[in-house]
Amino acid sequence: MIDLAQLRREPELVTSALGRRGVPAQVLHELLALDAAHRSLLQEAEALRARVKELSRQVADARKSGDLTLTETLQGESRSVGESERALSQAVDEAAAQVRAVLLDIPNIPSDAAPDGAGPEDNVELRQWWPGMDQGQPFPSFADHQRVAHWDIGTELGILDMEAGAKLAGSMFPLFRGAGSRLLRALSSLALDQHSDAYEEIRPPTFALTETMTSTGHLPKNSDDMYAIERDDLWAIPTAEVPLTSMHRGEILNEALLPIRMTALTACFRREAGAAGRDTRGLLRVHEFDKVELFAYCTPEQAEAAQADILARAEALLRALGLAYRVLDLCAGDLGTSSARTFDLEVYTPGVDRWLEVSSVSWFRDYQSRRANVRYRPGGGSPTLVHTVNGSALAWARIWAALVETYRQADGSVELPAVLGGYLGGRTTISRAYAPTSKR
RNA sequence: GGAGGGGUGACAGAGCGGCCGAAUGUACCGGUCUUGAAAACCGGCGUGGGGAAACUCACCGUGGGUUCAAAUCCCACCCCCUCCGCCA
């Protein structure tokens, strides 16, 4: 969440910055009013509380001196002050809850560096990359045999079975088979191995408590986008960012250990509630996908480099896989709730002729760490919130789509890039012959 | 799931109704001593909220309750450990 003290200190600045991403000034004015009301109630209640404590001390003294009448008088007085204190405290709690509810709903302040804009159309494309670009070649033209959608390729080769997935869990739950399944495993292994030089590999739980989801900013605002297991107060994680951000919740981290960097392979679950029927064929948009995430807790000074490192690693993977992609600098209006600055990576898929988001590399400033209460002591001084940074490297479902489309050969087989060879037991060719044909 | 034990400051560990935000030890910071270091000795050392300040409030797993007063008593829940049961 944003810093309430900062809002009080410089309301115009915060209001105009949040205005860039569409938060009405009215909301902030109301928040300040609620906050002022809360504080004045708090002062009254605390004065009463102090009085009760003072009287209690006097009761102890009176009893010690054996003055029973005085003891009873003081007890009576304390009791009545205590009663009004209790009533006031309840009002204080209610006021505090109101403040918190509004505060939790306010998105992060965008970085000054984030471009202006209201939505996806205003995002700024920073660069593109494609195989051969470094040698001066133009953007690939792609042959007709590459202009086949991955869902057709998947069916043809028996490596993707959307029908079977739908039968088991409903539409938009993909089921990969044979070489298609192994390809996913290979991608995850490749990525995790690549990041292991600087990022500790974590395998977190797939579900998280409401409190955990709140720390990253996924709750309360985006509850419709998540799968819930109400009986156990659990939510299926939409990204490994959720558990990783909360791993050190409530802790004061050793400054010497920063940045603390972690990578995790998890399944990610998205209800995609608002997106019914839109771009939903094949793997364009699915409810469950595997993703390798990169994450860092760092000092404010380290944040920029930490974000750059994650972006560089995600790009390096795309290049290693030989996939054309572009980098977008998200405008203020398109930023995720918790983010101050985000770079999206979109891969080009020739078969469906689209740019698909496969990574979102974000800097959250102290928005998440304030919710999660993760701090460090700069120079041994008083505790200060850390910054969090994360990004995917990468989300595999769409990469899978890009790979089979980009590397489809004239004969209908798929010839995967050599970097994956070691993870595929040397079999970089996927052809009908390898398909375990139970059905087609 | 059943039985028992336990959750207190960075860590260890006392306190079990009345200046307890909390003894003591370790760690850490400053100082004395020393050529330097160690040891010893002296001093300091939690977090958060409110307040211009004086000052004040909260926090001893979490949430309720009893009481003039709760780390201390009562209730519920969570987590950890040991044993039993079950199990990939």
Side-chain angles (χ1 to χ4, degrees), chain A residues 117-129:
Chain A
E121 63 284 354
D122 296 318
N123 293 335
V124 174
E125 182 178 311
L126 295 181
R127 58 181 169 273
Q128 288 193 9
W129 183 91

Side-chain angles (χ1 to χ4, degrees), chain A residues 20 110-116 124 126 304 307 329-332 335 340-343 363 365:
Chain A
R20 291 182 67 217
S111 158
D112 288 340
D116 286 325
V124 174
L126 295 181
E304 195 175 346
Q307 186 179 24
D329 190 353
L330 296 202
C331 71
L335 247 22
R341 184 97 195 270
T342 295
F343 299 103
W363 168 47
R365 208 185 260 118

Side-chain angles (χ1 to χ4, degrees), chain A residues 212-414:
Chain A
T212 307
M213 296 290 281
T214 304
S215 295
T216 40
H218 289 90
L219 288 178
K221 220 175 164 55
N222 306 319
S223 61
D224 285 348
D225 295 326
M226 256 104 49
Y227 288 99
I229 302 174
E230 282 177 43
R231 188 166 62 164
D232 298 299
D233 185 34
L234 287 172
W235 302 76
I237 57 170
T239 158
E241 164 191 344
V242 169
L244 294 182
T245 304
S246 283
M247 236 180 94
H248 293 290
R249 184 166 65 214
E251 295 180 19
I252 296 178
L253 305 175
N254 183 343
E255 185 181 21
L257 265 32
L258 298 174
I260 293 175
R261 301 195 278 193
M262 301 183 276
T263 180
L265 163 65
T266 66
C268 301
F269 300 89
R270 313 259 167 115
R271 283 186 73 228
E272 302 292 352
R278 211 168 40 151
D279 298 341
T280 54
R281 283 209 71 181
L283 300 173
L284 294 179
R285 185 184 297 277
V286 287
H287 287 315
E288 177 181 353
F289 58 92
D290 286 343
K291 176 162 70 60
V292 167
E293 186 76 359
L294 293 171
F295 174 91
Y297 293 106
C298 59
T299 67
E301 294 74 27
Q302 293 165 342
E304 195 175 346
Q307 186 179 24
D309 185 66
I310 292 172
L311 182 59
R313 283 170 183 268
E315 286 193 66
L317 272 170
L318 285 164
R319 293 181 189 212
L321 293 170
L323 298 174
Y325 69 89
R326 64 183 183 186
V327 183
L328 302 180
D329 190 353
L330 296 202
C331 71
D334 199 33
L335 247 22
T337 304
S338 307
S339 181
R341 184 97 195 270
T342 295
F343 299 103
D344 271 7
L345 291 178
E346 295 186 342
V347 72
Y348 181 72
T349 48
V352 293
D353 188 26
R354 276 169 199 269
W355 295 92
L356 299 179
E357 181 186 333
V358 291
S359 179
S360 199
V361 182
S362 301
W363 168 47
F364 302 97
R365 208 185 260 118
D366 57 9
Y367 186 89
Q368 295 182 326
S369 58
R370 179 170 292 106
R371 289 175 171 225
N373 195 223
V374 183
R375 299 173 292 174
Y376 76 111
R377 295 179 184 277
S382 56
T384 302
L385 295 167
V386 299
H387 281 199
T388 56
V389 163
N390 71 44
S392 356
L394 295 157
W396 302 129
R398 290 169 176 171
I399 292 291
W400 191 99
L403 283 170
V404 301
E405 292 180 8
T406 301
Y407 291 105
R408 186 165 187 268
Q409 309 298 303
D411 66 359
S413 67
V414 170

